[in-house]
Amino acid sequence: MLTSEILDRAVKAKPLVKQLSAEKKNEAIASMVDSLLASADEILSANREDMEKAKGVFSEVMLDRLALSKQRIEGMASGMAEVSNLPDPNGKVIDKIVRPNGLAIEKKLAPMGVIGIIYESRPNVTSDAAALCFKSSNVCVLRCGKESYNTSRAITDALRRGLEKCGVTPDAIQLVDDISRQSASDMMTAVGKIDLLIPRGGKGLISACTENAKVPCIQTGTGICHVYVEKTADIDMALSIVDNAKTSRPSVCNACEVCVVDSEIAGEFLPKLYERLTAGRENPVEFITDERSREIIGGTPASEGSFDTEYLDYKLAIKVVDGVKDAVEHVLNHSTGHSESIVTSDPEAADYFTSNVDSAAVYVNASTRFTDGGEFGLGCEIGISTQKLHARGPMGLEEMMTYYYKITGEGQIR
């Protein structure tokens, strides 16, 4: 089907979805979950086809993002069920005042309408986006990368069958068939049809959308995340946090890409970190070091762009600094505004760092890997917004909404 036809059908579905009750939406999500689980074999077969095509083209880390298993499908279903259990945001009153003239003014949440999502590699985005958009009374038009098309198509078809089974228009969830650049351009310029565009992927995709989109667009995803090990840090805690932030899943946007270390403890901390992330590891981390850290642990010399690269791999850039102000200055110069962490025993250092780094999520003594809708109690998320308007950080149900004012009077005139 042509992308223009899919968008037309999405626009027609918009009022139908907006009118659904909370109970009906929950019933439909439960039906989608059942259909997703019942279609596991079909989805895994499609995923094997995608994986075969991707081998030799993508790194092992990126292949892991594409790969599905029964356990991962069950996790996708669990995430959808969690979204179903969350309060319905449609019509929620977020503020109310009564004016001196008696007018009662309510500020109420309302759906965006049609949300377009352009994403790469990760097929679980398909089910996450579908559940979040539908629960928030939005219609979604999905456009995946060519590397995950067969998997995403199988998932979408399963979800649409679930909607049909309970009498809801399947056009509430649609996947674009055209995986050429033209379909992405069509979505970016679909003025009057797409109410909000959300890109999820690498720097190239996000830049293309923010530079070329004529519809409202939210920047998400690119994560040059820092962990700063301050001079009063508990060394064992810092080792654990950096290890988790870098290696638990290096291909995701909340993984640590840069470890900033205070010069007063660099001589003690860096050799221990090097040993921890390399010795006996199936995937030893490559250390990309500035001049001061290279004198301590060696490593690959950092180049001009080393601290501005989202590696999404077993690579970690190291920067040695002189105090928290120096650390904050480095973060401000190189961060993408996603997630930063300080490991410290000094409350004043923690306060200075968290107040000044200016990112969507800022941690004290915890891994950046927690920047995630599920970990924040949002069920799942549509993406991590790294901008300041209209949403920031993990985008859950309420971040998928706009608002309007309902004003009730008793014949007042101005």
Side-chain angles (χ1 to χ4, degrees), residues 327-328 331-332 335 337 340 352-359 361-362 392:
V328 167
V331 172
L332 289 174
S335 172
E340 325 297 347
Y352 184 87
F353 185 86
T354 57
S355 299
N356 289 283
V357 291
D358 197 25
S359 291
V362 189
R392 198 177 194 197

Side-chain angles (χ1 to χ4, degrees), residues 253-265:
C253 62
N254 57 22
C256 174
E257 302 291 15
V258 182
C259 181
V260 182
V261 184
D262 194 286
S263 58
E264 290 195 27
I265 61 167

Side-chain angles (χ1 to χ4, degrees), residues 78-95:
S78 177
M80 293 182 70
E82 286 179 21
V83 170
S84 177
N85 291 330
L86 294 172
D88 188 349
N90 192 16
K92 177 182 176 180
V93 177
I94 54 176
D95 196 11

Side-chain angles (χ1 to χ4, degrees), residues 344-355:
T344 182
S345 298
D346 182 353
E348 289 186 7
D351 183 62
Y352 184 87
F353 185 86
T354 57
S355 299

